[in-house]
Amino acid sequence: MDMAPVREAAAVHRRLAEAARRLPDGGRRAAVLLVDTCEHVAGAVADGLEDLLRQRTGLRVVATSRVPPGGGAGGGGGAGGAGAPSPGAAGGPRRRPGPGPWAAGPRGATLRLAPLAPADCAALLESLAPADALADAADREALHAVCALLEGLPLAARIAAAHLARLRPDRLLERFSRPGGCLDLAVEEPRWPARQRSLRASLRWTHRLLTPPEQLLWARCSVFPGTFRLPDATEVCADERLPADALPALFRALLRHGVLAVRDGSAGAAAEAGAAHPPVRMARPVRAYGMEQLVRLGEEAAFQRRCLDWTMGG
């Protein structure tokens, strides 16, 4: 069941109830419900599934979300973008991740999908490539270089693999090497949701879930070519439009949405980013999308200069 078209909490509960009625009841095999793309209505989905699991003790649920389930889509605990309801939109107080169907333990667990390791990304592309796509060592070397540019993003790897049927690895590498080239490479696969047929479409979906200040911070942080920390982002990105005291909450929101990634890959470290200031970075496609937004805003030159001043000042 795809939650992408749903915007209101009441509609979330109706869709969950309808899906539950279609599931087999009883028998020796447990029924499994797959709920996809929950991030923009995460609070309502968490509440609805908690009620559903109380009613159907044999039910098993797999839910996907770009933010922690029950945490909502907005920055700083606020409402999400694109008309998404806040975590409390289903009624009652805002929920926080904790006991319930999302908690680790016998009832369930929240699993974070980390970027693929370089070797795993290369193995995935090799397994999906046509038999004649990797004719020699040069082809495999180019394929590994493509994986390095994709930085382990699973969707990016899947899109790249789809193009190996018509592009040699060196041509694919050429496409991905161009600024923003990885964003527009798309697959014509009608079975895939439109938002997953290109990295641009996927990142646009994430961008629309953010509040305007979060979107602005994403754009401005794209000037950092490598790792940086919250104090660095404050020095380079803060101004009257993004006050320094607002940046910690905005920074945490970008971490929740995967726009920023903690270098050690620790979800726990990401949760504590506002206090510990761990080094973070943007994956190359994410940075390319943010830079496009910065150019559209007319701020590229100004914030490139600010980043250069930060770099030179140590």
Side-chain angles (χ1 to χ4, degrees):
M1 176 175 51
D2 187 4
M3 283 291 180
V6 182
R7 290 294 181 270
E8 301 298 329
V12 169
H13 289 272
R14 284 197 301 271
R15 286 178 70 94
L16 290 175
E18 291 168 2
R21 284 195 293 269
R22 293 195 299 267
L23 291 172
D25 196 5
R28 294 194 300 175
R29 297 182 62 183
V32 178
L33 176 63
L34 174 61
V35 187
D36 192 21
T37 313
C38 302
E39 53 268 14
H40 57 303
V41 284
V45 170
D47 288 333
L49 288 179
E50 190 164 356
D51 293 340
L52 197 57
L53 288 169
R54 288 196 193 100
Q55 300 166 16
R56 298 281 299 269
T57 56
L59 180 63
R60 299 292 181 266
V61 176
V62 177
T64 68
S65 176
R66 298 190 189 190
V67 299
S86 70
R94 294 176 184 264
R95 62 179 294 115
R96 291 177 292 184
W102 307 110
R107 287 206 60 187
T110 299
L111 305 177
R112 187 179 183 89
L113 179 62
L116 298 171
D120 293 335
C121 185
L124 175 63
L125 261 67
E126 290 186 12
S127 69
L128 296 173
D132 61 347
L134 303 173
D136 52 33
D139 285 339
R140 285 186 167 77
E141 183 178 347
L143 195 67
H144 281 259
V146 167
C147 291
L149 293 177
L150 300 180
E151 300 195 36
L153 298 180
L155 178 60
R158 188 65 185 85
I159 291 171
H163 281 272
L164 285 172
R166 62 183 185 85
L167 289 177
R168 303 297 303 178
D170 59 339
R171 295 296 303 278
L172 192 63
L173 176 60
E174 180 184 344
R175 289 285 301 272
F176 278 117
S177 296
R178 294 198 297 268
C182 57
L183 296 178
D184 289 319
L185 204 62
V187 293
E188 296 298 329
E189 177 49 78
R191 293 174 299 175
W192 294 17
R195 65 185 178 278
Q196 294 177 2
R197 295 176 196 168
S198 73
L199 287 178
R200 181 181 299 283
S202 179
L203 291 168
R204 185 186 300 120
W205 170 263
T206 297
H207 191 261
R208 289 173 176 171
L209 295 177
L210 301 177
T211 64
E214 293 161 3
Q215 294 172 351
L216 184 57
L217 183 59
W218 178 354
R220 291 181 177 181
C221 283
S222 69
V223 299
F224 289 101
T227 58
F228 60 98
R229 300 171 187 265
L230 174 59
D232 306 323
T234 303
E235 180 179 343
V236 172
C237 303
D239 62 6
E240 65 280 358
R241 294 182 64 194
L242 282 181
D245 59 358
L247 255 67
L250 301 177
F251 206 77
R252 289 193 295 271
L254 295 188
L255 280 164
R256 283 198 304 274
H257 283 271
V259 174
L260 299 176
V262 178
R263 279 299 300 268
D264 64 6
S266 167
E272 298 298 326
H277 306 320
V280 302
R281 66 186 307 278
M282 285 186 184
R284 187 170 175 271
V286 177
R287 182 173 177 247
Y289 189 89
M291 184 58 69
E292 288 186 354
Q293 302 308 308
L294 195 66
V295 171
R296 182 181 61 81
L297 293 168
E299 294 189 345
E300 179 190 17
F303 283 90
Q304 289 280 19
R305 284 195 298 271
R306 292 181 67 162
C307 186
L308 179 61
D309 292 341
W310 165 79
T311 303
M312 299 301 290

